[in-house]
PDB file of all heavy atoms in Angstrom:
ATOM      1  N   ARG A 293      21.430-120.798  19.461  1.00  0.00           N
ATOM      2  CA  ARG A 293      20.703-119.851  18.612  1.00  0.00           C
ATOM      3  C   ARG A 293      19.255-120.232  18.443  1.00  0.00           C
ATOM      4  O   ARG A 293      18.320-119.399  18.497  1.00  0.00           O
ATOM      5  CB  ARG A 293      21.353-119.828  17.275  1.00  0.00           C
ATOM      6  CG  ARG A 293      22.637-119.027  17.179  1.00  0.00           C
ATOM      7  CD  ARG A 293      23.412-119.188  15.956  1.00  0.00           C
ATOM      8  NE  ARG A 293      24.646-118.441  15.998  1.00  0.00           N
ATOM      9  CZ  ARG A 293      24.760-117.199  15.631  1.00  0.00           C
ATOM     10  NH1 ARG A 293      23.703-116.512  15.111  1.00  0.00           N
ATOM     11  NH2 ARG A 293      25.912-116.550  15.738  1.00  0.00           N
ATOM     12  N   LYS A 341      26.213-119.581   9.721  1.00  0.00           N
ATOM     13  CA  LYS A 341      25.520-119.598  11.082  1.00  0.00           C
ATOM     14  C   LYS A 341      24.071-119.197  10.818  1.00  0.00           C
ATOM     15  O   LYS A 341      23.727-118.455   9.891  1.00  0.00           O
ATOM     16  CB  LYS A 341      26.128-118.480  11.914  1.00  0.00           C
ATOM     17  CG  LYS A 341      27.562-118.735  12.305  1.00  0.00           C
ATOM     18  CD  LYS A 341      28.111-117.508  12.996  1.00  0.00           C
ATOM     19  CE  LYS A 341      29.575-117.586  13.105  1.00  0.00           C
ATOM     20  NZ  LYS A 341      30.182-116.359  13.661  1.00  0.00           N
ATOM     21  N   THR A 342      23.170-119.706  11.634  1.00  0.00           N
ATOM     22  CA  THR A 342      21.816-119.269  11.572  1.00  0.00           C
ATOM     23  C   THR A 342      21.718-117.861  12.222  1.00  0.00           C
ATOM     24  O   THR A 342      22.037-117.750  13.401  1.00  0.00           O
ATOM     25  CB  THR A 342      20.943-120.202  12.333  1.00  0.00           C
ATOM     26  OG1 THR A 342      21.428-121.478  12.160  1.00  0.00           O
ATOM     27  CG2 THR A 342      19.476-120.151  11.922  1.00  0.00           C
ATOM     28  N   HIS A 343      21.342-116.859  11.424  1.00  0.00           N
ATOM     29  CA  HIS A 343      21.244-115.541  12.035  1.00  0.00           C
ATOM     30  C   HIS A 343      19.812-115.320  12.536  1.00  0.00           C
ATOM     31  O   HIS A 343      18.978-115.020  11.676  1.00  0.00           O
ATOM     32  CB  HIS A 343      21.714-114.503  11.003  1.00  0.00           C
ATOM     33  CG  HIS A 343      23.116-114.234  11.012  1.00  0.00           C
ATOM     34  ND1 HIS A 343      23.736-113.085  10.698  1.00  0.00           N
ATOM     35  CD2 HIS A 343      24.157-115.138  11.271  1.00  0.00           C
ATOM     36  CE1 HIS A 343      25.025-113.212  10.766  1.00  0.00           C
ATOM     37  NE2 HIS A 343      25.328-114.480  11.058  1.00  0.00           N
ATOM     38  N   HIS A 344      19.579-115.604  13.713  1.00  0.00           N
ATOM     39  CA  HIS A 344      18.241-115.299  14.290  1.00  0.00           C
ATOM     40  C   HIS A 344      18.173-113.861  14.539  1.00  0.00           C
ATOM     41  O   HIS A 344      18.864-113.408  15.426  1.00  0.00           O
ATOM     42  CB  HIS A 344      17.953-116.093  15.543  1.00  0.00           C
ATOM     43  CG  HIS A 344      17.724-117.484  15.355  1.00  0.00           C
ATOM     44  ND1 HIS A 344      16.682-117.980  14.605  1.00  0.00           N
ATOM     45  CD2 HIS A 344      18.366-118.645  15.685  1.00  0.00           C
ATOM     46  CE1 HIS A 344      16.680-119.267  14.533  1.00  0.00           C
ATOM     47  NE2 HIS A 344      17.720-119.695  15.197  1.00  0.00           N
ATOM     48  N   ASN A 345      17.391-113.139  13.878  1.00  0.00           N
ATOM     49  CA  ASN A 345      17.253-111.703  14.245  1.00  0.00           C
ATOM     50  C   ASN A 345      16.311-111.639  15.407  1.00  0.00           C
ATOM     51  O   ASN A 345      15.070-111.575  15.247  1.00  0.00           O
ATOM     52  CB  ASN A 345      16.830-110.900  13.071  1.00  0.00           C
ATOM     53  CG  ASN A 345      18.090-110.603  12.306  1.00  0.00           C
ATOM     54  OD1 ASN A 345      19.135-110.358  12.872  1.00  0.00           O
ATOM     55  ND2 ASN A 345      17.943-110.539  11.020  1.00  0.00           N
ATOM     56  N   PRO A 387      27.589-103.107  15.876  1.00  0.00           N
ATOM     57  CA  PRO A 387      26.563-104.166  15.804  1.00  0.00           C
ATOM     58  C   PRO A 387      26.716-105.221  16.841  1.00  0.00           C
ATOM     59  O   PRO A 387      27.791-105.529  17.390  1.00  0.00           O
ATOM     60  CB  PRO A 387      26.862-104.808  14.403  1.00  0.00           C
ATOM     61  CG  PRO A 387      28.147-104.223  13.973  1.00  0.00           C
ATOM     62  CD  PRO A 387      28.470-102.982  14.808  1.00  0.00           C
ATOM     63  N   PHE A 388      25.580-105.817  17.173  1.00  0.00           N
ATOM     64  CA  PHE A 388      25.485-106.823  18.184  1.00  0.00           C
ATOM     65  C   PHE A 388      24.600-107.980  17.759  1.00  0.00           C
ATOM     66  O   PHE A 388      23.608-107.691  17.158  1.00  0.00           O
ATOM     67  CB  PHE A 388      24.875-106.141  19.506  1.00  0.00           C
ATOM     68  CG  PHE A 388      24.902-106.995  20.728  1.00  0.00           C
ATOM     69  CD1 PHE A 388      26.143-107.402  21.262  1.00  0.00           C
ATOM     70  CD2 PHE A 388      23.741-107.298  21.353  1.00  0.00           C
ATOM     71  CE1 PHE A 388      26.230-108.177  22.374  1.00  0.00           C
ATOM     72  CE2 PHE A 388      23.841-108.105  22.517  1.00  0.00           C
ATOM     73  CZ  PHE A 388      24.985-108.462  23.017  1.00  0.00           C
ATOM     74  N   PRO A 389      25.002-109.204  17.854  1.00  0.00           N
ATOM     75  CA  PRO A 389      24.207-110.285  17.231  1.00  0.00           C
ATOM     76  C   PRO A 389      22.962-110.501  17.943  1.00  0.00           C
ATOM     77  O   PRO A 389      22.912-110.276  19.268  1.00  0.00           O
ATOM     78  CB  PRO A 389      25.099-111.474  17.444  1.00  0.00           C
ATOM     79  CG  PRO A 389      26.117-111.166  18.525  1.00  0.00           C
ATOM     80  CD  PRO A 389      26.293-109.707  18.533  1.00  0.00           C
ATOM     81  N   GLY A 390      21.929-110.884  17.233  1.00  0.00           N
ATOM     82  CA  GLY A 390      20.580-111.120  17.936  1.00  0.00           C
ATOM     83  C   GLY A 390      20.653-112.007  19.136  1.00  0.00           C
ATOM     84  O   GLY A 390      20.146-111.665  20.151  1.00  0.00           O
ATOM     85  N   PRO A 391      21.418-113.149  19.116  1.00  0.00           N
ATOM     86  CA  PRO A 391      21.455-113.984  20.319  1.00  0.00           C
ATOM     87  C   PRO A 391      22.308-113.480  21.446  1.00  0.00           C
ATOM     88  O   PRO A 391      22.437-114.101  22.404  1.00  0.00           O
ATOM     89  CB  PRO A 391      22.061-115.314  19.749  1.00  0.00           C
ATOM     90  CG  PRO A 391      22.031-115.233  18.287  1.00  0.00           C
ATOM     91  CD  PRO A 391      22.015-113.775  17.925  1.00  0.00           C
ATOM     92  N   ARG A 396      28.829-115.369  22.765  1.00  0.00           N
ATOM     93  CA  ARG A 396      30.204-115.005  23.136  1.00  0.00           C
ATOM     94  C   ARG A 396      30.541-115.620  24.443  1.00  0.00           C
ATOM     95  O   ARG A 396      31.676-115.382  24.909  1.00  0.00           O
ATOM     96  CB  ARG A 396      30.216-113.426  23.239  1.00  0.00           C
ATOM     97  CG  ARG A 396      29.962-112.813  21.847  1.00  0.00           C
ATOM     98  CD  ARG A 396      30.009-111.278  21.956  1.00  0.00           C
ATOM     99  NE  ARG A 396      29.738-110.656  20.660  1.00  0.00           N
ATOM    100  CZ  ARG A 396      29.530-109.387  20.457  1.00  0.00           C
ATOM    101  NH1 ARG A 396      29.551-108.553  21.514  1.00  0.00           N
ATOM    102  NH2 ARG A 396      29.283-108.937  19.233  1.00  0.00           N
ATOM    103  N   GLN A 445      33.966-103.538  14.897  1.00  0.00           N
ATOM    104  CA  GLN A 445      33.335-104.338  15.975  1.00  0.00           C
ATOM    105  C   GLN A 445      34.456-104.852  16.883  1.00  0.00           C
ATOM    106  O   GLN A 445      35.467-105.303  16.445  1.00  0.00           O
ATOM    107  CB  GLN A 445      32.600-105.478  15.347  1.00  0.00           C
ATOM    108  CG  GLN A 445      31.492-106.029  16.145  1.00  0.00           C
ATOM    109  CD  GLN A 445      30.612-107.032  15.433  1.00  0.00           C
ATOM    110  OE1 GLN A 445      30.902-107.450  14.315  1.00  0.00           O
ATOM    111  NE2 GLN A 445      29.549-107.463  16.126  1.00  0.00           N
ATOM    112  N   PHE A 479      31.161-106.451   6.796  1.00  0.00           N
ATOM    113  CA  PHE A 479      30.981-107.624   7.715  1.00  0.00           C
ATOM    114  C   PHE A 479      30.989-108.960   7.052  1.00  0.00           C
ATOM    115  O   PHE A 479      30.868-110.003   7.695  1.00  0.00           O
ATOM    116  CB  PHE A 479      29.788-107.424   8.648  1.00  0.00           C
ATOM    117  CG  PHE A 479      29.911-106.314   9.518  1.00  0.00           C
ATOM    118  CD1 PHE A 479      29.488-104.953   9.167  1.00  0.00           C
ATOM    119  CD2 PHE A 479      30.459-106.388  10.814  1.00  0.00           C
ATOM    120  CE1 PHE A 479      29.626-103.906   9.920  1.00  0.00           C
ATOM    121  CE2 PHE A 479      30.597-105.245  11.617  1.00  0.00           C
ATOM    122  CZ  PHE A 479      30.219-104.011  11.220  1.00  0.00           C
ATOM    123  N   LYS A 516      38.539-112.697   8.740  1.00  0.00           N
ATOM    124  CA  LYS A 516      37.399-113.416   8.165  1.00  0.00           C
ATOM    125  C   LYS A 516      37.413-113.286   6.716  1.00  0.00           C
ATOM    126  O   LYS A 516      37.360-112.165   6.198  1.00  0.00           O
ATOM    127  CB  LYS A 516      36.040-112.846   8.729  1.00  0.00           C
ATOM    128  CG  LYS A 516      34.824-113.444   8.008  1.00  0.00           C
ATOM    129  CD  LYS A 516      33.551-112.734   8.450  1.00  0.00           C
ATOM    130  CE  LYS A 516      32.439-113.290   7.825  1.00  0.00           C
ATOM    131  NZ  LYS A 516      31.089-112.862   8.211  1.00  0.00           N
ATOM    132  N   THR A 520      35.143-116.497  11.403  1.00  0.00           N
ATOM    133  CA  THR A 520      34.061-115.497  11.397  1.00  0.00           C
ATOM    134  C   THR A 520      34.372-114.498  12.468  1.00  0.00           C
ATOM    135  O   THR A 520      35.327-114.687  13.168  1.00  0.00           O
ATOM    136  CB  THR A 520      32.774-116.262  11.583  1.00  0.00           C
ATOM    137  OG1 THR A 520      32.815-116.943  12.817  1.00  0.00           O
ATOM    138  CG2 THR A 520      32.431-117.109  10.474  1.00  0.00           C
ATOM    139  N   ILE A 521      33.566-113.469  12.476  1.00  0.00           N
ATOM    140  CA  ILE A 521      33.771-112.426  13.441  1.00  0.00           C
ATOM    141  C   ILE A 521      33.465-112.909  14.821  1.00  0.00           C
ATOM    142  O   ILE A 521      34.261-112.783  15.727  1.00  0.00           O
ATOM    143  CB  ILE A 521      32.982-111.132  13.042  1.00  0.00           C
ATOM    144  CG1 ILE A 521      33.469-110.601  11.726  1.00  0.00           C
ATOM    145  CG2 ILE A 521      33.163-110.053  14.198  1.00  0.00           C
ATOM    146  CD1 ILE A 521      32.634-109.410  11.149  1.00  0.00           C
ATOM    147  N   GLU A 522      32.209-113.370  14.972  1.00  0.00           N
ATOM    148  CA  GLU A 522      31.884-113.961  16.324  1.00  0.00           C
ATOM    149  C   GLU A 522      32.534-115.362  16.348  1.00  0.00           C
ATOM    150  O   GLU A 522      32.976-115.915  15.348  1.00  0.00           O
ATOM    151  CB  GLU A 522      30.343-114.192  16.310  1.00  0.00           C
ATOM    152  CG  GLU A 522      29.467-112.945  16.144  1.00  0.00           C
ATOM    153  CD  GLU A 522      29.575-111.951  17.285  1.00  0.00           C
ATOM    154  OE1 GLU A 522      29.971-112.457  18.393  1.00  0.00           O
ATOM    155  OE2 GLU A 522      29.108-110.862  17.191  1.00  0.00           O
TER     156      GLU A 522
HETATM  157  P1  LIG B   1      30.029-113.511  11.637  1.00  0.00           P
HETATM  158  O1  LIG B   1      30.305-114.036  13.017  1.00  0.00           O
HETATM  159  O2  LIG B   1      29.115-114.388  10.798  1.00  0.00           O
HETATM  160  O3  LIG B   1      29.264-112.181  11.868  1.00  0.00           O
HETATM  161  O4  LIG B   1      31.310-113.170  10.911  1.00  0.00           O
HETATM  162  C1  LIG B   1      29.035-111.072  10.960  1.00  0.00           C
HETATM  163  C2  LIG B   1      28.212-109.999  11.578  1.00  0.00           C
HETATM  164  O5  LIG B   1      26.894-110.564  11.920  1.00  0.00           O
HETATM  165  C3  LIG B   1      26.683-110.473  13.312  1.00  0.00           C
HETATM  166  N1  LIG B   1      25.939-111.609  13.753  1.00  0.00           N
HETATM  167  C4  LIG B   1      24.635-111.620  13.882  1.00  0.00           C
HETATM  168  N2  LIG B   1      23.656-110.696  13.793  1.00  0.00           N
HETATM  169  N3  LIG B   1      21.950-112.169  14.449  1.00  0.00           N
HETATM  170  C5  LIG B   1      22.407-110.888  14.064  1.00  0.00           C
HETATM  171  O6  LIG B   1      21.540-110.035  14.016  1.00  0.00           O
HETATM  172  C6  LIG B   1      22.873-113.218  14.538  1.00  0.00           C
HETATM  173  O7  LIG B   1      22.502-114.318  14.868  1.00  0.00           O
HETATM  174  C7  LIG B   1      24.251-112.911  14.321  1.00  0.00           C
HETATM  175  N4  LIG B   1      25.354-113.623  14.326  1.00  0.00           N
HETATM  176  C8  LIG B   1      26.389-112.824  13.914  1.00  0.00           C
HETATM  177  C9  LIG B   1      28.013-110.361  13.909  1.00  0.00           C
HETATM  178  O8  LIG B   1      28.100-109.719  15.187  1.00  0.00           O
HETATM  179  C10 LIG B   1      28.835-109.612  12.860  1.00  0.00           C
HETATM  180  O9  LIG B   1      28.575-108.139  13.031  1.00  0.00           O
END
Side-chain angles (χ1 to χ4, degrees):
R293 283 171 182 271
K341 297 173 189 175
T342 321
H343 278 209
H344 283 298
N345 276 325
F388 188 61
R396 295 179 179 172
Q445 205 171 4
F479 296 88
K516 170 185 179 176
T520 54
I521 297 173
E522 304 285 348

